[in-house]
Amino acid sequence: QQQVKQSPQSLIVQKGGISIINCAYENTAFDYFPWYQQFPGKGPALLIAIRPDVSEKKEGRFTISFNKSAKQFSLHIMDSQPGDSATYFCAASIGWGYQKVTFGIGTKLQVIP
Amino acid sequence: DAGVIQSPRHEVTEMGQEVTLRCKPISGHDYLFWYRQTMMRGLELLIYFNNNVPIDDSGMPEDRFSAKMPNASFSTLKIQPSEPRDSAVYFCASSPLLDNDKNIQYFGAGTRLSVL
């Protein structure tokens, strides 16, 4: 059972455009939502994370929007660059410091010049 | 620190052979995770350890898979006997309890396993 549903699985965006990746979860006990970025041949690395007590978190060109009532959250990449081309995973976990993280299936983003 | 170190980076083996994947976590991290990544299923947690003790192995697909952590600086994931459907990229990750108030997992570069 896929507890974190992610879409789309692939995305092509032109340089300078906005990349949007959406995730939905089922377990209302989830209270920590990280996003990981994975470049080819590398392991995933934490990009940005949010807790459900805020509706938005921004770090540079990356923004997480969170809708607790809809059980949905999304990643927006503003002014997308070719260097952003990677696979992005949304994820969720329960509890402060609880280590088990459930990942979405991933979105392969390609930013074309 | 050099980060999480996995070996080998690539492994090609024949069906029925034993495969052992190795991981050295970041020094001082309390948790160690083994994941499997495939196109169809994404990143799946296989097992994780806290202070060398297995906490949750519910993701281990079957008895052919086993994992050990004999000390804080080393872990192995073993597949015996291996099957073609085990072909995937296997990641090891480690984590402190909290890192600057965040729950962060640090991943190794992975082992790409091909079972022929």
Side-chain angles (χ1 to χ4, degrees):
Chain A
Q1 182 182 6
Q2 189 180 357
Q3 294 194 56
V4 179
K5 295 183 179 179
Q6 183 172 349
S7 63
Q9 290 194 32
S10 64
L11 181 61
I12 300 175
V13 174
Q14 284 211 311
K15 179 181 175 181
I18 303 174
S19 303
I20 302 174
I21 303 170
N22 300 301
C23 288
Y25 62 97
E26 299 163 5
N27 189 344
T28 54
F30 286 144
D31 65 355
Y32 180 73
F33 301 89
W35 286 85
Y36 281 76
Q37 179 188 54
Q38 182 184 27
F39 292 106
K42 305 290 185 182
L46 181 70
L47 180 64
I48 187 173
I50 197 169
R51 293 200 174 272
D53 52 343
V54 297
S55 60
E56 185 175 283
K57 183 172 182 179
K58 184 176 181 180
E59 291 185 2
R61 295 183 295 108
F62 299 89
T63 300
I64 302 177
S65 298
F66 188 84
N67 185 330
K68 187 174 182 178
S69 61
K71 293 186 288 185
Q72 295 176 347
F73 58 111
S74 60
L75 177 69
H76 291 63
I77 306 174
M78 311 301 288
D79 186 26
S80 299
Q81 299 296 314
D84 298 330
S85 298
T87 299
Y88 293 81
F89 294 92
C90 62
S93 66
I94 302 170
W96 191 237
Y98 187 71
Q99 295 295 323
K100 186 173 181 178
V101 176
T102 301
F103 286 87
I105 198 162
T107 297
K108 186 172 183 179
L109 170 65
Q110 183 180 0
V111 181
I112 55 177
Chain B
D1 202 314
V4 176
I5 300 173
Q6 291 187 245
S7 64
R9 289 296 312 275
H10 303 275
E11 177 78 38
V12 180
T13 190
E14 292 187 346
M15 183 174 62
Q17 297 298 307
E18 177 180 296
V19 175
T20 300
L21 311 181
R22 297 173 175 80
C23 175
K24 177 179 168 51
I26 294 172
S27 177
H29 282 191
D30 304 289
Y31 293 85
L32 183 138
F33 308 81
W34 283 101
Y35 290 90
R36 178 171 65 178
Q37 184 178 30
T38 61
M39 289 293 293
M40 292 299 296
R41 299 174 69 90
L43 265 172
E44 300 175 277
L45 177 66
L46 300 177
I47 185 171
Y48 80 95
F49 296 82
N50 179 21
N51 293 327
N52 314 336
V53 176
I55 301 301
D56 186 341
D57 65 355
S58 59
M60 296 286 262
E62 46 198 277
D63 292 344
R64 297 184 297 107
F65 285 69
S66 62
K68 294 182 179 180
M69 192 166 185
N71 57 63
S73 60
F74 184 66
S75 178
T76 59
L77 178 67
K78 187 174 293 187
I79 308 173
Q80 165 66 19
S82 58
E83 297 182 3
R85 59 192 169 118
D86 302 330
S87 298
V89 180
Y90 291 81
F91 286 102
C92 175
S94 70
S95 175
L97 179 59
L98 286 174
D99 188 334
N100 288 329
D101 209 30
K102 295 178 183 177
N103 175 343
I104 303 176
Q105 296 188 14
Y106 296 83
F107 284 77
T111 295
R112 182 174 295 276
L113 173 65
S114 298
V115 183
L116 306 177

